[in-house]
Structures are given as structure tokens and as C-alpha cells.
């Protein structure tokens, strides 16, 4: 897993740095490794918060059009399965999750933001759900997370137009909590928030989070379980 780096911080915070250069484009192998790492951190009693970050100019550009063009049907299904599994795992993670966003966050990469518990953004970040521009749809887990995390107006604005928005608009849309003016502040603010969540009673946090998200998690799980004979969505023509 050379594209993933773990940093241990005081306060029982572990930072998971996504390092699939140069812009964390999502591939099946990368998705599977990120999921495995999050599962391991979630089961570690010494980890009370997980901070997701990236060292690159762009946080994550999702699945690129170039990648999509190379996929046959089998590979496309494997990619979609990995997308569903990773973002369901992140959304259902018992451990508090925080994401520190810089640069561009596009397409499926947006679900590192939407599936996390608390989101901190750099002042020059840009956010877009660009599937409509690529002529593709959303895998089942991602669609349900978007419906649960975004207001109906924000769904319309992002998902039906493909336009990008900045951090102030994202904060007004309630999927960004904190904006940092520079990269030093981004790191400091995100670590501060991670330590706050890590200091909360973890059993209570887990129980409340489960109650808040259980209906969405159940819906995703059922949809995935009943789609084995038809695993694709509108992603693959």
C-alpha cells in the first residue's frame, strides 16, 4: 500500500494520507486498499479519530474519463463494487472521521467529503459532482449518501448541472464546516477538530452515529445485496 501513509498524532488521532499521485485518481486497487486501511483503523482500540488528507494540489479527482475508457464490463463492475464498498465503509465507520480538503474534489472523490463526519476545507478548494458531464450515473452507495448528506437544492445544483462551487458556497450548503485560509491552518484546524472528536465518549459517539445513519446504511446494504445479478448502475452504457 505504497500510496497510503499513516501518521500518528497525539490525542489518539491517526491521519490517513491518500497518496495515489498526482491527484488521487480512483482505481479499483486503490479503493480496495483505502477500504482495508479504514477497516483496520476502525477496529483499532487505540484510534479514536481518523483524519483523511492528501499531500497533492488536488485532493481527489474521482474516476477519470481516461480510466473509464479502458474498462471492459468485468472491470467496470469491479470498479463500481469497490466504490460502493469503500464509501459504505467510510459512511458506516464507528470511529469519528474528519477530512481535510485542498484543491479540486471531483466526482466520486466528493464522497470522501460527504461520507465523513466533519469536513475542513482550504479557501481555494473546489467541489463538483461531475458525473453528469461524463454521461455517467452514481453507484448505489454513493447516490444514497448524496441523498442523505445534501439538501434537495444542493443535489439539483451539483448533481444535475455538474457545476463546481467554492468552499463558501459549500459551507452555505452545509457540507463544509470550517474554511482555512492557508495550508498550515488547514492542517491545524483539521487536527484540532479531530482531537475534539477523539476526546468524546466513543461508545456514545458510536451509538448515536449508528442511530443517525442506520436507515441509509440498511438501504445501501439491501440494494447491493439484491443487485448481484445486475451489479451495474448507469455508469456503464
Amino acid at each position: 500500500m505504497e500510496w497510503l501513509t499513516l501518521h500518528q498524532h497525539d490525542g489518539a488521532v491517526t491521519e490517513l494520507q491518500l497518496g495515489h499521485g498526482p491527484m488521487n485518481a480512483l482505481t479499483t486497487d486503490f479503493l480496495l486498499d483505502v477500504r482495508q486501511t479504514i477497516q483496520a483503523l476502525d477496529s483499532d482500540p487505540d484510534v479514536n479519530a481518523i483524519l483523511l488528507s492528501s499531500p497533492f494540489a488536488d485532493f481527489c479527482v474521482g474516476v477519470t474519463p481516461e480510466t473509464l475508457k479502458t474498462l471492459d464490463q468485468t472491470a467496470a463492475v469491479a470498479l463500481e463494487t469497490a466504490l460502493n464498498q469503500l464509501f459504505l465503509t467510510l459512511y458506516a465507520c464507528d470511529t469519528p472521521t474528519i477530512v481535510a480538503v485542498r484543491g479540486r474534489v471531483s466526482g466520486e472523490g466528493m464522497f470522501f467529503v460527504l461520507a465523513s463526519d466533519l469536513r475542513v476545507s482550504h479557501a481555494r478548494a473546489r467541489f463538483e459532482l461531475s458525473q453528469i458531464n461524463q454521461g455517467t450515473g452514481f453507484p448505489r452507495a454513493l447516490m444514497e449518501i448524496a441523498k442523505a448528506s445534501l439538501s434537495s437544492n444542493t443535489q439539483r445544483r451539483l448533481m444535475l448541472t455538474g457545476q463546481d462551487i467554492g468552499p463558501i458556497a459549500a459551507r452555505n450548503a452545509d457540507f463544509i464546516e470550517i474554511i482555512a485560509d492557508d495550508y498550515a491552518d488547514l492542517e491545524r484546524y483539521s487536527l484540532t477538530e479531530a482531537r475534539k472528536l477523539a476526546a468524546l465518549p466513543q461508545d456514545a459517539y458510536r451509538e448515536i452515529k449508528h442511530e443517525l445513519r442506520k436507515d441509509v446504511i440498511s438501504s445501501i446494504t439491501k440494494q447491493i445485496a439484491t443487485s448481484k445479478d445486475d451489479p451495474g448502475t448507469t455508469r456503464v452504457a
Side-chain angles (χ1 to χ4, degrees):
M1 297 186 186
E2 66 277 2
W3 44 40
L4 299 174
T5 304
L6 295 177
H7 299 285
Q8 308 299 330
H9 298 282
D10 57 35
V13 174
T14 295
E15 180 178 355
L16 172 56
Q17 190 174 77
L18 309 178
H20 188 197
M23 51 190 176
N24 282 318
L26 298 180
T27 63
T28 299
D29 288 343
F30 182 48
L31 291 162
L32 293 174
D33 281 353
V34 176
R35 181 187 185 225
Q36 180 180 338
T37 303
I38 290 174
Q39 288 176 317
L41 293 174
D42 194 25
S43 63
D44 188 338
D46 295 325
V47 177
N48 282 4
I50 301 169
L51 170 60
L52 298 171
S53 68
S54 168
F56 304 131
D58 291 323
F59 180 82
C60 180
V61 297
V63 179
T64 66
E66 292 75 19
T67 295
L68 287 176
K69 291 176 184 177
T70 68
L71 302 179
D72 60 19
Q73 185 66 26
T74 300
V77 169
L79 175 63
E80 186 159 310
T81 299
L83 286 164
N84 281 324
Q85 290 176 340
L86 168 58
F87 291 114
L88 174 57
T89 295
L90 179 58
Y91 188 75
C93 183
D94 286 333
T95 306
T97 55
I98 303 90
V99 62
V101 179
R102 58 168 72 196
R104 188 158 53 110
V105 192
S106 301
E108 298 84 358
M110 272 285 290
F111 291 86
F112 284 111
V113 177
L114 300 183
S116 293
D117 299 345
L118 193 145
R119 305 89 171 229
V120 184
S121 171
H122 185 263
R124 292 189 179 90
R126 304 297 298 182
F127 302 89
E128 63 180 350
L129 286 165
S130 53
Q131 278 82 351
I132 190 69
N133 296 325
Q134 298 177 12
T136 62
F138 293 84
R140 290 173 172 84
L142 281 59
M143 178 60 82
E144 293 301 315
I145 292 168
K147 288 160 62 177
S149 304
L150 299 172
S151 69
S152 58
N153 188 56
T154 304
Q155 292 168 22
R156 174 195 57 79
R157 183 178 181 186
L158 293 182
M159 300 172 76
L160 292 180
T161 70
Q163 68 174 284
D164 68 330
I165 63 174
I168 294 176
R171 185 172 60 188
N172 291 339
D174 291 329
F175 68 86
I176 289 295
E177 280 78 38
I178 299 170
I179 300 173
D181 289 333
D182 55 42
Y183 292 139
D185 281 345
L186 179 66
E187 180 178 358
R188 182 167 63 253
Y189 293 167
S190 59
L191 273 174
T192 296
E193 296 305 315
R195 290 179 178 124
K196 288 179 182 177
L197 294 186
L200 294 172
Q202 293 296 293
D203 288 343
Y205 190 96
R206 183 181 302 110
E207 180 180 350
I208 294 169
K209 182 175 178 179
H210 174 73
E211 287 299 314
L212 290 172
R213 299 191 175 186
K214 66 179 181 180
D215 291 343
V216 177
I217 293 167
S218 176
S219 175
I220 293 170
T221 302
K222 289 177 181 177
Q223 289 186 56
I224 292 174
T226 58
S227 67
K228 292 180 180 178
D229 294 329
D230 180 25
T233 64
T234 55
R235 167 168 296 283
V236 183

